[in-house]
Amino acid sequence: MPKIVDHDQRRREIVEVTWRFIAREGIEKLNLRDLAAAAGYSNGALKPYFPTRDSLLAATFNYVAESTEKRVARTTSGLSALEAIAAFAREVLPLDELRCDEARVAVHFWHLALGDPHLAAVNAGTMDRWRSLLDFWLEQLLGTGHPKANAARDSLINFLMGAQAGSVLDNAINTPSSLEGQLEYRLETLQYIATAR
């Protein structure tokens, strides 16, 4: 009787090996032959799950984004307004080993997405979900239709993306302690906007 293969589980295992590989070795060293070996599969065994390198990279970035978003859902449960925004930001900021690895994967992925509309669209989907979350919490904080809400939202997202890049490229300055201080500065600015109405 042929062995029953859980394709979703197999895809998940491959993606988990891939994101750890990219975080440790970088995207330039990633090839499907070595990846198959690292995942414990024979050469060519990845093809049925990920026919191209780009399909694997897109799935890997989505996996990292979804892992972040699951943590966000847990840590923001029961929170609102500024507290929820702070909890969200801390799940994205590279404040520990796991989130630093996620930042490394994101930075490598962005490099490729610059020249690939499909990969850029994958990133845009993540940013759209982040904007929706922040829109909800900013409306709680600032009220409906506040003239600075969009600027506050986009500024925070740009800070988070920049912090991920900074932690990879300039980690002597962008330490977890420094990033916490930068976040506090932004949260204080949001609080000021909210109370200045």
Side-chain angles (χ1 to χ4, degrees):
M1 188 171 173
K3 184 180 177 183
I4 297 172
V5 176
D6 184 335
H7 289 277
D8 289 340
Q9 175 65 25
R10 186 69 59 88
R11 282 174 60 87
R12 209 163 31 249
E13 289 169 359
I14 294 166
V15 165
E16 286 172 358
V17 170
T18 303
W19 93 263
R20 292 289 185 187
F21 182 96
I22 293 170
R24 188 180 63 249
E25 302 290 341
I27 225 160
E28 295 78 14
K29 295 182 182 178
L30 180 68
N31 67 66
L32 298 183
R33 182 192 315 259
D34 290 345
L35 193 61
Y41 301 127
S42 62
N43 186 30
L46 303 188
K47 208 79 166 162
Y49 305 101
F50 299 102
T52 66
R53 188 172 182 261
D54 279 359
S55 67
L56 176 58
L57 291 173
T60 301
F61 182 77
N62 275 329
Y63 174 84
V64 170
E66 287 166 8
S67 296
T68 302
E69 288 163 12
K70 285 177 186 173
R71 291 197 311 270
V72 167
R74 281 194 306 271
T75 59
T76 61
S77 178
L79 302 180
S80 63
L82 197 63
E83 286 185 335
I85 292 168
F88 163 79
R90 288 190 175 99
E91 291 303 337
V92 176
L93 285 174
L95 301 176
D96 60 17
E97 188 74 25
L98 171 68
R99 287 171 283 183
C100 284
D101 282 348
E102 290 175 346
R104 289 184 195 102
V105 171
V107 170
H108 282 296
F109 183 84
W110 294 333
H111 173 72
L112 295 179
L114 287 172
D116 187 322
H118 172 68
L119 296 181
V122 171
N123 182 71
T126 299
M127 296 302 105
D128 284 343
R129 292 192 299 275
W130 287 12
R131 279 189 283 271
S132 294
L133 287 171
L134 289 170
D135 282 341
F136 178 71
W137 295 320
L138 284 166
E139 185 171 330
Q140 292 176 332
L141 178 66
L142 304 176
T144 304
H146 193 286
K148 294 189 177 179
N150 285 353
R153 175 199 65 202
D154 295 338
S155 174
L156 184 59
I157 287 176
N158 287 334
F159 160 64
L160 294 173
M161 293 177 73
Q164 288 184 310
S167 73
V168 173
L169 300 171
D170 193 16
N171 63 355
I173 297 299
N174 291 293
T175 62
S177 174
S178 171
L179 293 175
E180 280 279 8
Q182 294 172 49
L183 175 61
E184 284 302 320
Y185 174 79
R186 289 183 174 271
L187 295 174
E188 287 168 9
T189 302
L190 283 176
Q191 187 63 59
Y192 174 79
I193 294 169
T195 55
R197 287 181 289 150

